[in-house]
Amino acid sequence: MMKMLPFFQSGPIGIRNGSESCIGVNRQLENRSTSVPEQVPACPEPSGDEIWSRDQEKMSERPEAACRPSRASSITSNGSCTSAGDSPEKGKKGIKGILTSALKKIKKIKPPSVKQVMELLEEQKLCDATQQLIVLEKSLSSKCEEGMNTSHQDIESVYEVLKHKVFTILKDSMLLAKTNPELLQQAVEALKEQEKEDQNYTSENPPDQNIHFRPRKWKELWMATVKESVETRMKDTSHTARTENLSTVGQNLLHMGKTMKEDLTVVVKYIKQLYPPEFNVFSTYAELYHNYFASQAKKNAESHLEDKDIYLLLSWVHNIYPKDMRKDHVLAEELEKVKLGSLLPSSLSNDLENKYLDSEEATIKNSLSKCLDKEIQRWKEDKEPEKLNGHFQSELLAIFVIQSIYSGQKRAKDISAAVGEELSHRLWKELPAFLKSYRDAFEDFKEKGKKHRYYKPIIIANINNCWNFRDYTEKNMAEKDDNKAGILSTLGDIENSGFDVLLQQLFAQLKPIYKKFTENKWDSSNEIMNEIIKTTSKHISDFQTLKDPFYHAIVEKIHTRLVKDYIVRLLKRKVSLKTPAQQQNLAQHISKNAADLEAFCTSNGSQATWLNSALPKLAEIIRLQDLGAIKIEVATLATTYPDIRKRHLEAFLYIKANLSRGELKSILGYLADSTASTPPGASLFSNINVS
């Protein structure tokens, strides 16, 4: 008798008379239209009163043979299912009282019928229907099935209807979560009840004693249903607006990413809380969405893709997918727990990256070549280059080249930092090669286009063009980059070659004027210097169409040339003065000419202040008569201009005819001693040949 106590304490079969089955949800579902119309025909009903009467007599004789208690549940006011067993009546004490109370309750309760369950299904009361069906199933499975007209086939038919309804609803979870959450909750509760009954049955029966309908494994069906739902939604691109100029591959990627993000957000906000933790709802959905997305990405990667689709796919793999999904804070927290991984295996991703890099490099290289061809054609047109802020410009080439490289680098960097760095490295190698082609084309025009109407303006425009390349290189390339030196060197070649063309006529005009210094032995030197300045001034005004950095550079070249050519005349050994008075007079002429030259060059923007002391120091050596003072001045000159050599000084000292051979040798020897440890400085004397 004591062994029977737990059974009777658990309460009789069925739902308690006092419980409101699936309280909150069912009330809201009443009079709601059925979303799952499929039903099965009601099976012939057994005579419940007769069968139940016979069962009562059997259980009165053998209470231990009574049906097992129901584990049915109902949805409480907070939406959760609770167990539906009765506790023993208070006031009844002892085993006899308990047995009496239990038997009275059994006599009052009839098992549900198939018809009743079907009515609940029609009313969309899925939770109640599930509970009743479990009771009916257990009644039929126990010893009390004898004499019942309801068969296992009848119950299984109803189960099929229930299952169809429940899983049709669960398949539409994404839509119902917002539009009809109560119905979705009913389906989830039904699922939970079946899973709970499976667990109970499994715990009470050995695996080898499983009957054909238990466990029903609805959780596995739920997993399959979620998978089917995910795949259906990921395939259906009709819900994503068509984006103009986006390929089919790109549109599919956009749809899958958008669908996955929006649906997972719904899971987090509306669906996850309907399930118990052991269902791992978010991770289940997230992994299924990820797996489908990854399978499609892999299929695309292994197919023949257009260049733009390779870029799109890599952008999704490296950038959009891992980052955009996590812009929503709540979604990011959940995704961090799941750790989905990449859309593509690293090997496949690397192959795709190499295809992209090869294609992008070839595309940019080809576009640069075409752009240079167009630029060369513009040089041949009978048009003066346009001016911008007073400067001739031929900047379309530089702008296009720089923009092409920058855009390529940015696109690659948008994929990933590593891809961006690799493409930058490749393009930095391509730029020196392109600039060499540009230099060769410029040299060809320089030689063949001399008769062009706008020859010099085109030369100036191309010099100005170098500034954009130079500025971009200085700002964007590291000093240690080997390509940087090559680029700057090639640009320097173009600039200096252009300067040579622009200065050629000026220097040709100045040469006969400079000869007048030695021809007249510096008589009328002021007039000669004025003529030099006047001639130079005419050309300098034309050079103002150069950009400021190049204008200053060419003025410095002119300044250097004017000083150097003056020194050349002093080293020609055409003048030899024996008296100190003659030497002092020449020194004064040189000093005056030096002052005028410095003033002219400075007023025209020369920043070559290092040249200003050359002529005054030479004039001072001519003026001085004391050997020691001369040596000191020579040492100062050599310190300032360390490229001066004995041959230069010896030719210059020819002017001081009053120096003895010994004094001359002493001075020259002092120069050798003083320049031995002097570091190289600005080049002035090294380009002066002495005959």
Side-chain angles (χ1 to χ4, degrees):
M1 184 66 70
M2 291 300 291
K3 292 181 180 179
M4 298 166 58
L5 181 60
F7 163 73
F8 286 108
Q9 285 181 330
S10 66
I13 298 172
I15 306 299
R16 287 181 294 181
N17 294 334
S19 67
E20 296 183 28
S21 59
C22 301
I23 301 169
V25 179
N26 288 336
R27 285 176 180 164
Q28 297 175 30
L29 288 172
E30 288 176 358
N31 301 321
R32 188 182 296 275
S33 60
T34 305
S35 63
V36 186
E38 298 182 25
Q39 306 286 352
V40 297
C43 297
E45 295 289 339
S47 177
D49 292 338
E50 293 177 3
I51 295 173
W52 192 245
S53 161
R54 291 197 300 270
D55 289 344
Q56 282 180 326
E57 292 174 3
K58 291 180 182 180
M59 283 190 290
S60 297
E61 296 170 0
R62 294 187 298 165
E64 69 275 9
C67 298
R68 292 185 181 177
S70 168
R71 297 185 183 272
S73 59
S74 62
I75 302 178
T76 62
S77 59
N78 64 4
S80 63
C81 275
T82 57
S83 197
D86 275 343
S87 60
E89 289 183 2
K90 292 183 181 180
K92 297 285 185 179
K93 304 225 177 164
I95 294 175
K96 184 176 179 181
I98 294 171
L99 288 172
T100 302
S101 175
L103 289 171
K104 284 182 179 179
K105 289 184 179 180
I106 289 173
K107 291 178 181 179
K108 293 178 182 178
I109 299 173
K110 293 183 179 181
S113 66
V114 169
K115 182 179 179 181
Q116 290 172 331
V117 175
M118 291 298 294
E119 288 174 353
L120 290 172
L121 288 176
E122 289 175 2
E123 295 171 5
Q124 299 288 43
K125 297 180 180 180
L126 305 180
C127 180
D128 283 351
T130 302
Q131 292 173 342
Q132 299 282 23
L133 200 51
I134 290 173
V135 171
L136 190 56
E137 172 191 335
K138 296 181 72 172
S139 298
L140 193 60
S141 302
S142 66
K143 294 181 181 180
C144 66
E145 64 181 319
E146 184 180 343
M148 289 182 66
N149 292 332
T150 304
S151 67
H152 281 296
Q153 185 177 359
D154 296 334
I155 294 176
E156 290 307 307
S157 296
V158 180
Y159 257 120
E160 286 301 314
V161 176
L162 174 64
K163 183 169 70 173
H164 179 76
K165 282 181 173 288
V166 167
F167 286 101
T168 300
I169 292 169
L170 293 177
K171 186 178 179 181
D172 291 334
S173 292
M174 294 301 163
L175 300 176
L176 295 174
K178 292 182 179 180
T179 60
N180 198 344
E182 296 86 1
L183 181 61
L184 177 59
Q185 187 175 4
Q186 282 281 328
V188 173
E189 292 299 333
L191 170 64
K192 288 160 60 176
E193 285 297 307
Q194 289 297 330
E195 179 64 15
K196 187 190 301 180
E197 190 61 28
D198 273 357
Q199 292 173 359
N200 292 336
Y201 184 87
T202 303
S203 65
E204 296 170 2
N205 295 274
D208 57 350
Q209 293 185 12
N210 285 356
I211 53 180
H212 70 281
F213 53 83
R214 282 291 173 199
R216 295 189 178 273
K217 301 181 179 179
W218 275 28
K219 187 174 181 181
E220 294 181 10
L221 290 175
W222 171 75
M223 293 279 289
T225 301
V226 172
K227 182 180 180 182
E228 182 183 357
S229 172
V230 167
E231 292 180 355
T232 299
R233 292 182 64 78
M234 292 290 268
K235 289 176 183 177
D236 186 7
T237 59
S238 62
H239 297 295
T240 300
R242 187 77 188 174
T243 302
E244 190 176 357
N245 299 325
L246 199 59
S247 67
T248 302
V249 172
Q251 186 68 30
N252 287 339
L253 290 171
L254 175 62
H255 165 71
M256 289 189 291
K258 183 173 181 289
T259 301
M260 180 175 177
K261 183 177 181 180
E262 290 177 353
D263 287 3
L264 288 182
T265 302
V266 172
V267 173
V268 172
K269 293 183 177 179
Y270 303 103
I271 298 177
K272 178 185 174 184
Q273 54 268 37
L274 299 179
Y275 291 82
E278 58 267 21
F279 272 72
N280 296 316
V281 174
F282 183 82
S283 63
T284 299
Y285 272 96
E287 287 170 5
L288 288 170
Y289 275 105
H290 171 80
N291 292 341
Y292 184 84
F293 204 157
S295 69
Q296 296 305 303
K298 185 174 183 291
K299 187 183 297 183
N300 286 329
E302 292 173 340
S303 65
H304 177 72
L305 291 175
E306 298 292 332
D307 292 342
K308 61 181 180 180
D309 289 332
I310 291 176
Y311 175 78
L312 278 174
L313 182 52
L314 284 173
S315 296
W316 274 97
V317 171
H318 290 300
N319 188 25
I320 303 174
Y321 184 76
K323 295 179 183 177
D324 190 64
M325 289 288 179
R326 288 165 171 77
K327 286 184 178 179
D328 184 283
H329 177 68
V330 176
L331 198 57
E333 287 184 354
E334 294 294 334
L335 287 170
E336 189 62 30
K337 300 173 186 175
V338 182
K339 300 193 180 301
L340 298 176
S342 176
L343 284 177
L344 287 180
S346 59
S347 59
L348 199 54
S349 179
N350 291 337
D351 290 343
L352 214 58
E353 288 169 12
N354 288 328
K355 287 181 183 179
Y356 166 74
L357 290 168
D358 291 343
S359 172
E360 189 75 358
E361 181 183 5
T363 299
I364 293 175
K365 182 178 180 179
N366 185 51
S367 64
L368 297 188
S369 178
K370 289 181 178 179
C371 185
L372 179 56
D373 290 341
K374 290 181 180 180
E375 180 70 13
I376 293 171
Q377 291 303 314
R378 276 194 288 269
W379 298 343
K380 296 177 181 179
E381 295 173 0
D382 188 27
K383 292 181 180 179
E384 184 180 63
E386 295 181 359
K387 284 184 178 179
L388 181 65
N389 299 325
H391 305 135
F392 284 122
Q393 63 168 357
S394 179
E395 297 182 341
L396 289 178
L397 178 67
I399 290 173
F400 181 85
V401 171
I402 292 171
Q403 185 62 39
S404 296
I405 292 174
Y406 173 78
S407 298
Q409 291 172 328
K410 187 177 185 304
R411 284 194 302 271
K413 190 176 181 181
D414 286 344
I415 293 174
S416 73
V419 174
E421 186 176 347
E422 175 60 25
L423 185 62
S424 293
H425 181 68
R426 293 190 183 198
L427 295 182
W428 284 134
K429 286 184 176 180
E430 184 56 38
L431 185 56
F434 168 79
L435 289 175
K436 287 178 181 178
S437 298
Y438 176 38
R439 179 191 62 190
D440 294 343
F442 178 72
E443 288 296 324
D444 187 64
F445 172 79
K446 191 180 78 170
E447 296 300 320
K448 297 178 181 179
K450 292 179 180 179
K451 294 182 180 180
H452 195 290
R453 183 179 177 186
Y454 300 107
Y455 179 65
K456 284 189 177 180
I458 291 174
I459 295 294
I460 290 174
N462 278 280
I463 294 172
N464 287 339
N465 204 22
C466 291
W467 176 252
N468 296 296
F469 288 115
R470 184 177 287 276
D471 183 60
Y472 180 74
T473 302
E474 292 283 7
K475 290 179 178 178
N476 292 279
M477 293 188 73
E479 289 297 328
K480 61 181 180 180
D481 194 325
D482 295 336
N483 296 306
K484 184 172 187 177
I487 291 172
L488 296 179
S489 176
T490 302
L491 292 173
D493 291 343
I494 297 171
E495 294 158 5
N496 289 323
S497 180
F499 290 151
D500 290 343
V501 171
L502 299 177
L503 295 174
Q504 187 176 16
Q505 186 178 3
L506 169 62
F507 293 160
Q509 291 175 359
L510 290 176
K511 190 172 183 180
I513 301 175
Y514 268 99
K515 286 183 177 180
K516 294 179 181 180
F517 283 116
T518 50
E519 290 172 355
N520 298 333
K521 299 185 185 298
W522 263 264
D523 289 340
S524 305
S525 64
N526 291 338
E527 289 77 3
I528 296 171
M529 180 54 66
N530 288 337
E531 187 179 355
I532 290 171
I533 290 172
K534 183 179 180 180
T535 302
T536 304
S537 183
K538 291 179 182 179
H539 288 268
I540 285 182
S541 62
D542 294 335
F543 300 153
Q544 291 182 2
T545 53
L546 287 163
K547 286 188 174 182
D548 290 348
F550 297 124
Y551 174 78
H552 291 303
I554 201 169
V555 170
E556 183 172 337
K557 281 182 174 291
I558 293 171
H559 192 173
T560 303
R561 183 64 176 262
L562 295 179
V563 172
K564 190 190 80 170
D565 284 357
Y566 196 100
I567 294 173
V568 167
R569 304 323 300 175
L570 291 173
L571 304 186
K572 285 295 183 179
R573 302 177 191 264
K574 298 291 185 179
V575 177
S576 181
L577 305 175
K578 295 182 179 180
T579 67
Q582 291 174 322
Q583 293 174 11
Q584 188 171 1
N585 184 50
L586 177 59
Q588 289 175 349
H589 284 303
I590 294 172
S591 295
K592 178 65 168 63
N593 296 159
D596 292 343
L597 191 59
E598 178 184 341
F600 168 73
C601 291
T602 301
S603 66
N604 280 281
S606 174
Q607 298 172 350
T609 56
W610 62 278
L611 292 166
N612 294 338
S613 63
L615 294 179
K617 286 184 181 299
L618 291 173
E620 185 66 8
I621 291 173
I622 293 173
R623 186 186 68 79
L624 291 172
Q625 300 301 313
D626 180 72
L627 184 60
I630 293 173
K631 287 181 178 181
I632 293 173
E633 197 61 38
V634 167
T636 304
L637 177 68
T639 301
T640 307
Y641 304 99
D643 61 333
I644 190 171
R645 296 295 177 260
K646 283 184 179 182
R647 62 182 184 276
H648 299 122
L649 185 57
E650 185 176 6
F652 175 69
L653 291 176
Y654 179 83
I655 295 172
K656 295 179 72 69
N658 58 347
L659 288 175
S660 66
R661 187 173 294 276
E663 289 173 331
L664 181 61
K665 186 177 181 180
S666 176
I667 294 171
L668 292 175
Y670 192 81
L671 174 65
D673 293 337
S674 64
T675 58
S677 60
T678 303
S683 177
L684 177 61
F685 288 89
S686 58
N687 293 324
I688 299 175
N689 295 321
V690 178
S691 57

